[in-house]
Amino acid sequence: MALRQPVEHVVTSPWYRAKDIMAIMEVCESKAYKIIKSLQKEIVNTKIPGTDRCYAAPPAGRIRKEYFCEKYMLDVDECDAIVAQARQSA
């Protein structure tokens, strides 16, 4: 039996996982991973302003909260509340 992560993890972690995207966007797991993969590809291909370098790839299966919410025009606090509620009911 897997241990549940505490709800505080949602607030303190800078990353969303596929299950978090599933709760926020109300999509299936495969679609959540496709969203993450697409956003990760965008990040890696984005140049850092004032340099010739690109941003580093995020960890596999995760996307930064701020980037995700900015791309989908969502509020980070509202998304965190949705994720916390989904984790409590799981």
Side-chain angles (χ1 to χ4, degrees):
M1 184 167 111
L3 297 174
R4 289 188 187 167
Q5 292 182 349
V7 175
E8 295 82 33
H9 169 77
V10 175
V11 176
T12 59
S13 174
W15 306 101
Y16 281 142
R17 297 177 178 168
K19 291 191 182 226
D20 303 332
I21 302 299
M22 288 170 58
I24 295 166
M25 303 291 286
E26 297 181 352
V27 295
C28 66
E29 187 175 20
S30 63
K31 182 63 177 178
Y33 277 111
K34 286 178 185 177
I35 290 169
I36 290 171
K37 186 175 182 177
S38 169
L39 292 175
Q40 285 178 337
K41 189 181 271 189
E42 285 181 26
I43 290 172
V44 171
N45 292 326
T46 302
K47 297 264 185 195
I48 298 172
T51 69
D52 290 337
R53 299 179 338 161
C54 293
Y55 288 100
R62 298 180 186 193
I63 193 69
R64 206 169 247 309
K65 287 180 183 184
E66 291 81 13
Y67 189 76
F68 171 78
C69 290
E70 178 184 319
K71 282 298 194 179
Y72 286 94
M73 294 183 269
L74 301 169
D75 181 60
V76 175
D77 293 331
E78 288 178 15
C79 290
D80 280 347
I82 293 167
V83 171
Q85 183 179 14
R87 288 188 180 194
Q88 284 179 344
S89 64

